[in-house]
Structures are given as C-alpha cells and as structure tokens.
Amino acid sequence: ATKVIIQLKGDKDNIELLIQDDGIGFDLSVADQTGGLGYMRECMKKIHGTFDIATSSIGTVITAATPKFLK
C-alpha cells in the first residue's frame, strides 16, 4: 500500500474506527485464522461490537464499531 486512511468517529451511542488502504489485498480465509484479525473479531464480539473486513486487488477496508460504555 502507498496510502492509508484512518478515521475515528463517534456519536452519543457508538465509536467507529475505519482503516482503508490502496494495497493489493490478501486472502481473508487465511488471515482470519492465522493472524491477529481473527483475534480482533473475537474481541469485538465480546464487547458487542462489529468487525468487518473487505479486501480486493484495489485495497482493504477494515471497520470496527462498538457501543460507548462511558458516558
């Protein structure tokens, strides 16, 4: 990748992290089982959040969102 965009957004109920790059993508079936991405997905489930990955030959987008716990 030559370019990475990182955004952190929040409102009164949720916090969302977006990471996007312009790389060549990767095999999700392997990465989810052997790397930290699977661990991140499990952690987000434990706190009732979401974790999504979309990857292709034109880049990867990772989105993680969780409800706010502190008010």
Side-chain angles (χ1 to χ4, degrees), residues 2-68:
T2 59
K3 183 177 179 183
V4 176
I5 297 169
I6 300 172
Q7 292 180 336
L8 183 61
K9 298 189 281 185
D11 60 26
K12 67 182 180 106
D13 299 318
N14 301 293
I15 299 170
E16 180 180 277
L17 172 67
L18 173 101
I19 304 168
Q20 180 176 2
D21 71 31
D22 63 349
I24 60 170
F26 55 92
D27 185 346
L28 279 176
S29 64
V30 174
D32 255 2
Q33 295 176 5
T34 62
L37 296 176
Y39 177 73
M40 286 186 227
R41 187 181 306 280
E42 290 303 313
C43 288
M44 291 302 291
K45 282 183 188 177
K46 288 180 182 179
I47 61 171
H48 307 287
T50 61
F51 185 81
D52 297 304
I53 304 170
T55 187
S56 71
S57 62
I58 59 169
T60 299
V61 177
I62 297 174
T63 306
T66 185
K68 283 187 181 177

